[in-house]
Amino acid sequence: MLILLRHGRTAANEAGLLQGRLNQDLDDRGQRQARAAAHHLSQIDGGIDAVIASPLKRAQQTAGAFGIPIETDDRWIELSYGVYEGVPHADVPSEVWQTWRNDFSFVPDGGESLSTLDERVRLACDELVERAARQNVVVVSHVSPMKSAVAWALGVDIGIAWNCHLDHASICRIEIRGRRPVLSKFNETFDLEPA
């Protein structure tokens, strides 16, 4: 199974900033979320065979809670928001949000397009199909790459990203049936403090 896990919370998340490639540590709540996610996922049948993570600190720290070696894959890094990184969501002009929604090839100054992100994530997903058919593989990533992977599993375009929400430290599960991905859980959350 391919298990997608969004990183725990950071100070930028708490402040409502577009984080993108800002390389922040998890805050205290994010650290608790990482531990709780690792505990929650350790209960699945067969356990966790592999953990792959984005190179950003918040993903690496979340992945570290599993206590097994981490494979780093740059394709799972968050979308680069360019000039809008570190900017409060509410301060991004509405016409910029509208352009992002309508044009997947839109690149903010210094940033990356959704279509470029989608291309790299789909390639990473394709390469994991055979492995995830035999093993439980956790990928610790960010909201945009996870939404791209969900779109891949559903056979739709990246536009779905605007119509779904992922909480911090939430889980999406993609089963591999034959060579076909099937989304079995989306935005799964769990008790922050496991018993």
Side-chain angles (χ1 to χ4, degrees):
M1 180 182 305
L2 177 57
I3 302 162
L4 307 171
L5 171 61
R6 186 178 178 198
H7 63 80
R9 193 181 76 176
T10 68
N13 294 138
E14 175 64 4
L17 307 180
L18 278 178
Q19 194 163 203
R21 305 266 176 96
L22 296 179
N23 205 9
Q24 293 203 331
D25 292 308
L26 297 175
D27 65 12
D28 290 342
R29 181 175 178 82
Q31 292 172 24
R32 290 194 311 274
Q33 288 171 328
R35 289 190 299 271
H39 174 80
H40 177 75
L41 287 171
S42 71
Q43 309 301 310
I44 67 173
D45 287 344
I48 300 303
D49 297 296
V51 176
I52 299 168
S54 153
L56 294 177
K57 287 193 287 189
R58 59 193 185 267
Q60 291 283 317
Q61 290 167 359
T62 301
F66 287 88
I68 63 175
I70 302 165
E71 300 171 39
T72 300
D73 187 336
D74 291 347
R75 293 174 297 184
W76 292 100
I77 198 168
E78 179 59 293
L79 182 74
S80 173
Y81 294 106
V83 295
Y84 297 107
E85 292 195 358
V87 173
H89 292 227
D91 291 354
V92 176
S94 59
E95 59 272 12
V96 171
W97 287 119
Q98 196 59 45
T99 302
W100 252 319
R101 284 183 183 91
N102 295 335
D103 181 4
F104 305 152
S105 64
F106 168 66
V107 180
D109 189 24
E112 176 185 31
S113 70
L114 280 171
S115 59
T116 299
L117 173 138
D118 193 45
E119 183 178 321
R120 65 176 159 85
V121 170
R122 286 174 188 261
L123 180 60
C125 289
D126 287 341
E127 290 180 11
L128 283 173
V129 166
E130 190 172 313
R131 190 174 179 187
R134 302 185 276 57
Q135 298 180 327
N136 291 323
V137 179
V138 173
V139 174
V140 182
S141 189
H142 311 269
V143 68
S144 298
M146 284 179 62
K147 288 179 177 181
S148 174
V150 166
W152 166 82
L154 294 175
V156 298
D157 68 39
I158 189 63
I160 196 174
W162 300 105
N163 300 93
C164 54
H165 169 81
L166 290 168
D167 293 310
H168 294 111
S170 63
I171 298 162
C172 297
R173 299 183 195 221
I174 299 173
E175 296 177 24
I176 307 299
R177 298 182 184 166
R179 289 193 53 82
R180 186 171 58 92
V182 176
L183 181 67
S184 59
K185 296 212 176 173
F186 180 83
N187 200 38
E188 176 185 1
T189 57
F190 45 85
D191 291 334
L192 186 57
E193 302 295 344

PDB file of all heavy atoms in Angstrom, residues 115-137:
ATOM      1  N   SER A 115       1.424  22.256 -12.882  1.00  0.00           N
ATOM      2  CA  SER A 115       1.643  21.197 -13.873  1.00  0.00           C
ATOM      3  C   SER A 115       3.034  20.581 -13.724  1.00  0.00           C
ATOM      4  O   SER A 115       3.199  19.362 -13.877  1.00  0.00           O
ATOM      5  CB  SER A 115       1.409  21.702 -15.293  1.00  0.00           C
ATOM      6  OG  SER A 115       2.263  22.763 -15.605  1.00  0.00           O
ATOM      7  N   THR A 116       4.032  21.382 -13.388  1.00  0.00           N
ATOM      8  CA  THR A 116       5.385  20.853 -13.168  1.00  0.00           C
ATOM      9  C   THR A 116       5.412  19.972 -11.930  1.00  0.00           C
ATOM     10  O   THR A 116       5.979  18.872 -11.944  1.00  0.00           O
ATOM     11  CB  THR A 116       6.405  21.999 -13.041  1.00  0.00           C
ATOM     12  OG1 THR A 116       6.394  22.749 -14.252  1.00  0.00           O
ATOM     13  CG2 THR A 116       7.805  21.482 -12.775  1.00  0.00           C
ATOM     14  N   LEU A 117       4.795  20.444 -10.850  1.00  0.00           N
ATOM     15  CA  LEU A 117       4.698  19.627  -9.642  1.00  0.00           C
ATOM     16  C   LEU A 117       3.987  18.313  -9.952  1.00  0.00           C
ATOM     17  O   LEU A 117       4.450  17.233  -9.570  1.00  0.00           O
ATOM     18  CB  LEU A 117       3.941  20.377  -8.542  1.00  0.00           C
ATOM     19  CG  LEU A 117       3.632  19.561  -7.287  1.00  0.00           C
ATOM     20  CD1 LEU A 117       3.859  20.367  -6.038  1.00  0.00           C
ATOM     21  CD2 LEU A 117       2.214  19.005  -7.302  1.00  0.00           C
ATOM     22  N   ASP A 118       2.876  18.398 -10.662  1.00  0.00           N
ATOM     23  CA  ASP A 118       2.074  17.210 -10.970  1.00  0.00           C
ATOM     24  C   ASP A 118       2.874  16.198 -11.784  1.00  0.00           C
ATOM     25  O   ASP A 118       2.820  14.989 -11.523  1.00  0.00           O
ATOM     26  CB  ASP A 118       0.818  17.643 -11.729  1.00  0.00           C
ATOM     27  CG  ASP A 118      -0.221  16.549 -11.813  1.00  0.00           C
ATOM     28  OD1 ASP A 118      -0.502  15.884 -10.796  1.00  0.00           O
ATOM     29  OD2 ASP A 118      -0.773  16.353 -12.916  1.00  0.00           O
ATOM     30  N   GLU A 119       3.659  16.680 -12.715  1.00  0.00           N
ATOM     31  CA  GLU A 119       4.465  15.790 -13.549  1.00  0.00           C
ATOM     32  C   GLU A 119       5.483  15.012 -12.711  1.00  0.00           C
ATOM     33  O   GLU A 119       5.620  13.794 -12.853  1.00  0.00           O
ATOM     34  CB  GLU A 119       5.175  16.614 -14.623  1.00  0.00           C
ATOM     35  CG  GLU A 119       5.985  15.798 -15.599  1.00  0.00           C
ATOM     36  CD  GLU A 119       6.612  16.684 -16.671  1.00  0.00           C
ATOM     37  OE1 GLU A 119       5.953  17.626 -17.139  1.00  0.00           O
ATOM     38  OE2 GLU A 119       7.785  16.420 -17.006  1.00  0.00           O
ATOM     39  N   ARG A 120       6.176  15.705 -11.808  1.00  0.00           N
ATOM     40  CA  ARG A 120       7.202  15.024 -10.998  1.00  0.00           C
ATOM     41  C   ARG A 120       6.589  14.061  -9.995  1.00  0.00           C
ATOM     42  O   ARG A 120       7.123  12.972  -9.754  1.00  0.00           O
ATOM     43  CB  ARG A 120       8.147  16.024 -10.343  1.00  0.00           C
ATOM     44  CG  ARG A 120       7.540  16.948  -9.311  1.00  0.00           C
ATOM     45  CD  ARG A 120       8.626  17.832  -8.668  1.00  0.00           C
ATOM     46  NE  ARG A 120       8.130  19.033  -8.058  1.00  0.00           N
ATOM     47  CZ  ARG A 120       7.651  19.109  -6.820  1.00  0.00           C
ATOM     48  NH1 ARG A 120       7.551  18.029  -6.076  1.00  0.00           N
ATOM     49  NH2 ARG A 120       7.239  20.264  -6.338  1.00  0.00           N
ATOM     50  N   VAL A 121       5.441  14.436  -9.417  1.00  0.00           N
ATOM     51  CA  VAL A 121       4.797  13.556  -8.435  1.00  0.00           C
ATOM     52  C   VAL A 121       4.226  12.307  -9.112  1.00  0.00           C
ATOM     53  O   VAL A 121       4.358  11.192  -8.599  1.00  0.00           O
ATOM     54  CB  VAL A 121       3.713  14.310  -7.643  1.00  0.00           C
ATOM     55  CG1 VAL A 121       2.878  13.355  -6.795  1.00  0.00           C
ATOM     56  CG2 VAL A 121       4.350  15.380  -6.762  1.00  0.00           C
ATOM     57  N   ARG A 122       3.604  12.481 -10.267  1.00  0.00           N
ATOM     58  CA  ARG A 122       3.055  11.310 -10.977  1.00  0.00           C
ATOM     59  C   ARG A 122       4.170  10.332 -11.379  1.00  0.00           C
ATOM     60  O   ARG A 122       3.973   9.116 -11.312  1.00  0.00           O
ATOM     61  CB  ARG A 122       2.243  11.751 -12.196  1.00  0.00           C
ATOM     62  CG  ARG A 122       0.902  12.348 -11.811  1.00  0.00           C
ATOM     63  CD  ARG A 122       0.152  12.921 -13.001  1.00  0.00           C
ATOM     64  NE  ARG A 122      -1.030  13.632 -12.567  1.00  0.00           N
ATOM     65  CZ  ARG A 122      -2.266  13.132 -12.567  1.00  0.00           C
ATOM     66  NH1 ARG A 122      -2.483  11.896 -12.986  1.00  0.00           N
ATOM     67  NH2 ARG A 122      -3.281  13.846 -12.155  1.00  0.00           N
ATOM     68  N   LEU A 123       5.316  10.858 -11.754  1.00  0.00           N
ATOM     69  CA  LEU A 123       6.449   9.989 -12.075  1.00  0.00           C
ATOM     70  C   LEU A 123       6.877   9.210 -10.828  1.00  0.00           C
ATOM     71  O   LEU A 123       7.125   7.995 -10.888  1.00  0.00           O
ATOM     72  CB  LEU A 123       7.608  10.816 -12.630  1.00  0.00           C
ATOM     73  CG  LEU A 123       8.870  10.046 -13.001  1.00  0.00           C
ATOM     74  CD1 LEU A 123       8.587   8.991 -14.075  1.00  0.00           C
ATOM     75  CD2 LEU A 123       9.949  11.008 -13.475  1.00  0.00           C
ATOM     76  N   ALA A 124       6.956   9.893  -9.691  1.00  0.00           N
ATOM     77  CA  ALA A 124       7.316   9.221  -8.434  1.00  0.00           C
ATOM     78  C   ALA A 124       6.294   8.145  -8.086  1.00  0.00           C
ATOM     79  O   ALA A 124       6.659   7.040  -7.651  1.00  0.00           O
ATOM     80  CB  ALA A 124       7.435  10.245  -7.312  1.00  0.00           C
ATOM     81  N   CYS A 125       5.014   8.441  -8.275  1.00  0.00           N
ATOM     82  CA  CYS A 125       3.945   7.461  -8.000  1.00  0.00           C
ATOM     83  C   CYS A 125       4.071   6.252  -8.920  1.00  0.00           C
ATOM     84  O   CYS A 125       3.987   5.099  -8.457  1.00  0.00           O
ATOM     85  CB  CYS A 125       2.574   8.102  -8.163  1.00  0.00           C
ATOM     86  SG  CYS A 125       2.136   9.293  -6.887  1.00  0.00           S
ATOM     87  N   ASP A 126       4.264   6.499 -10.203  1.00  0.00           N
ATOM     88  CA  ASP A 126       4.413   5.396 -11.162  1.00  0.00           C
ATOM     89  C   ASP A 126       5.552   4.469 -10.749  1.00  0.00           C
ATOM     90  O   ASP A 126       5.439   3.244 -10.847  1.00  0.00           O
ATOM     91  CB  ASP A 126       4.683   5.929 -12.570  1.00  0.00           C
ATOM     92  CG  ASP A 126       3.455   6.544 -13.233  1.00  0.00           C
ATOM     93  OD1 ASP A 126       2.318   6.264 -12.782  1.00  0.00           O
ATOM     94  OD2 ASP A 126       3.635   7.314 -14.199  1.00  0.00           O
ATOM     95  N   GLU A 127       6.648   5.056 -10.284  1.00  0.00           N
ATOM     96  CA  GLU A 127       7.803   4.259  -9.889  1.00  0.00           C
ATOM     97  C   GLU A 127       7.569   3.466  -8.604  1.00  0.00           C
ATOM     98  O   GLU A 127       8.281   2.499  -8.341  1.00  0.00           O
ATOM     99  CB  GLU A 127       9.034   5.147  -9.751  1.00  0.00           C
ATOM    100  CG  GLU A 127       9.537   5.655 -11.090  1.00  0.00           C
ATOM    101  CD  GLU A 127      10.763   6.549 -10.964  1.00  0.00           C
ATOM    102  OE1 GLU A 127      11.362   6.618  -9.872  1.00  0.00           O
ATOM    103  OE2 GLU A 127      11.106   7.189 -11.976  1.00  0.00           O
ATOM    104  N   LEU A 128       6.587   3.868  -7.809  1.00  0.00           N
ATOM    105  CA  LEU A 128       6.314   3.173  -6.548  1.00  0.00           C
ATOM    106  C   LEU A 128       5.253   2.080  -6.669  1.00  0.00           C
ATOM    107  O   LEU A 128       5.044   1.330  -5.716  1.00  0.00           O
ATOM    108  CB  LEU A 128       5.873   4.185  -5.488  1.00  0.00           C
ATOM    109  CG  LEU A 128       6.985   5.024  -4.869  1.00  0.00           C
ATOM    110  CD1 LEU A 128       6.399   6.096  -3.966  1.00  0.00           C
ATOM    111  CD2 LEU A 128       7.956   4.143  -4.094  1.00  0.00           C
ATOM    112  N   VAL A 129       4.580   1.970  -7.807  1.00  0.00           N
ATOM    113  CA  VAL A 129       3.465   1.024  -7.942  1.00  0.00           C
ATOM    114  C   VAL A 129       3.864  -0.398  -7.576  1.00  0.00           C
ATOM    115  O   VAL A 129       3.227  -1.036  -6.730  1.00  0.00           O
ATOM    116  CB  VAL A 129       2.855   1.080  -9.367  1.00  0.00           C
ATOM    117  CG1 VAL A 129       1.943  -0.108  -9.615  1.00  0.00           C
ATOM    118  CG2 VAL A 129       2.080   2.376  -9.561  1.00  0.00           C
ATOM    119  N   GLU A 130       4.898  -0.896  -8.195  1.00  0.00           N
ATOM    120  CA  GLU A 130       5.298  -2.287  -7.960  1.00  0.00           C
ATOM    121  C   GLU A 130       5.699  -2.513  -6.501  1.00  0.00           C
ATOM    122  O   GLU A 130       5.310  -3.501  -5.874  1.00  0.00           O
ATOM    123  CB  GLU A 130       6.450  -2.660  -8.894  1.00  0.00           C
ATOM    124  CG  GLU A 130       6.760  -4.144  -8.897  1.00  0.00           C
ATOM    125  CD  GLU A 130       7.772  -4.506  -9.957  1.00  0.00           C
ATOM    126  OE1 GLU A 130       7.628  -4.053 -11.111  1.00  0.00           O
ATOM    127  OE2 GLU A 130       8.721  -5.228  -9.603  1.00  0.00           O
ATOM    128  N   ARG A 131       6.446  -1.582  -5.959  1.00  0.00           N
ATOM    129  CA  ARG A 131       6.883  -1.695  -4.559  1.00  0.00           C
ATOM    130  C   ARG A 131       5.701  -1.645  -3.602  1.00  0.00           C
ATOM    131  O   ARG A 131       5.612  -2.429  -2.655  1.00  0.00           O
ATOM    132  CB  ARG A 131       7.857  -0.551  -4.282  1.00  0.00           C
ATOM    133  CG  ARG A 131       8.583  -0.646  -2.978  1.00  0.00           C
ATOM    134  CD  ARG A 131       9.623   0.459  -2.913  1.00  0.00           C
ATOM    135  NE  ARG A 131      10.339   0.438  -1.678  1.00  0.00           N
ATOM    136  CZ  ARG A 131      11.200   1.381  -1.314  1.00  0.00           C
ATOM    137  NH1 ARG A 131      11.446   2.403  -2.123  1.00  0.00           N
ATOM    138  NH2 ARG A 131      11.823   1.304  -0.165  1.00  0.00           N
ATOM    139  N   ALA A 132       4.790  -0.697  -3.836  1.00  0.00           N
ATOM    140  CA  ALA A 132       3.630  -0.546  -2.953  1.00  0.00           C
ATOM    141  C   ALA A 132       2.626  -1.681  -3.109  1.00  0.00           C
ATOM    142  O   ALA A 132       1.748  -1.855  -2.261  1.00  0.00           O
ATOM    143  CB  ALA A 132       2.963   0.801  -3.205  1.00  0.00           C
ATOM    144  N   ALA A 133       2.729  -2.453  -4.158  1.00  0.00           N
ATOM    145  CA  ALA A 133       1.878  -3.635  -4.310  1.00  0.00           C
ATOM    146  C   ALA A 133       2.332  -4.747  -3.362  1.00  0.00           C
ATOM    147  O   ALA A 133       1.543  -5.612  -2.990  1.00  0.00           O
ATOM    148  CB  ALA A 133       1.914  -4.128  -5.756  1.00  0.00           C
ATOM    149  N   ARG A 134       3.614  -4.715  -2.951  1.00  0.00           N
ATOM    150  CA  ARG A 134       4.168  -5.764  -2.088  1.00  0.00           C
ATOM    151  C   ARG A 134       4.440  -5.296  -0.661  1.00  0.00           C
ATOM    152  O   ARG A 134       4.562  -6.114   0.234  1.00  0.00           O
ATOM    153  CB  ARG A 134       5.520  -6.254  -2.654  1.00  0.00           C
ATOM    154  CG  ARG A 134       5.527  -6.795  -4.041  1.00  0.00           C
ATOM    155  CD  ARG A 134       6.886  -7.356  -4.450  1.00  0.00           C
ATOM    156  NE  ARG A 134       7.969  -6.554  -4.961  1.00  0.00           N
ATOM    157  CZ  ARG A 134       8.620  -5.508  -4.462  1.00  0.00           C
ATOM    158  NH1 ARG A 134       8.326  -5.031  -3.395  1.00  0.00           N
ATOM    159  NH2 ARG A 134       9.605  -4.900  -5.040  1.00  0.00           N
ATOM    160  N   GLN A 135       4.604  -3.991  -0.478  1.00  0.00           N
ATOM    161  CA  GLN A 135       5.021  -3.452   0.816  1.00  0.00           C
ATOM    162  C   GLN A 135       4.128  -2.283   1.231  1.00  0.00           C
ATOM    163  O   GLN A 135       3.453  -1.687   0.390  1.00  0.00           O
ATOM    164  CB  GLN A 135       6.463  -2.925   0.730  1.00  0.00           C
ATOM    165  CG  GLN A 135       7.509  -3.950   0.403  1.00  0.00           C
ATOM    166  CD  GLN A 135       8.902  -3.312   0.354  1.00  0.00           C
ATOM    167  OE1 GLN A 135       9.072  -2.154  -0.033  1.00  0.00           O
ATOM    168  NE2 GLN A 135       9.907  -4.083   0.752  1.00  0.00           N
ATOM    169  N   ASN A 136       4.195  -1.964   2.525  1.00  0.00           N
ATOM    170  CA  ASN A 136       3.559  -0.751   3.031  1.00  0.00           C
ATOM    171  C   ASN A 136       4.600   0.363   3.008  1.00  0.00           C
ATOM    172  O   ASN A 136       5.560   0.354   3.796  1.00  0.00           O
ATOM    173  CB  ASN A 136       3.048  -0.965   4.453  1.00  0.00           C
ATOM    174  CG  ASN A 136       1.883  -1.925   4.497  1.00  0.00           C
ATOM    175  OD1 ASN A 136       1.038  -1.924   3.606  1.00  0.00           O
ATOM    176  ND2 ASN A 136       1.821  -2.759   5.520  1.00  0.00           N
ATOM    177  N   VAL A 137       4.429   1.282   2.070  1.00  0.00           N
ATOM    178  CA  VAL A 137       5.392   2.370   1.857  1.00  0.00           C
ATOM    179  C   VAL A 137       4.750   3.688   2.282  1.00  0.00           C
ATOM    180  O   VAL A 137       3.708   4.078   1.748  1.00  0.00           O
ATOM    181  CB  VAL A 137       5.814   2.453   0.375  1.00  0.00           C
ATOM    182  CG1 VAL A 137       6.791   3.601   0.160  1.00  0.00           C
ATOM    183  CG2 VAL A 137       6.411   1.126  -0.086  1.00  0.00           C
TER     184      VAL A 137
END
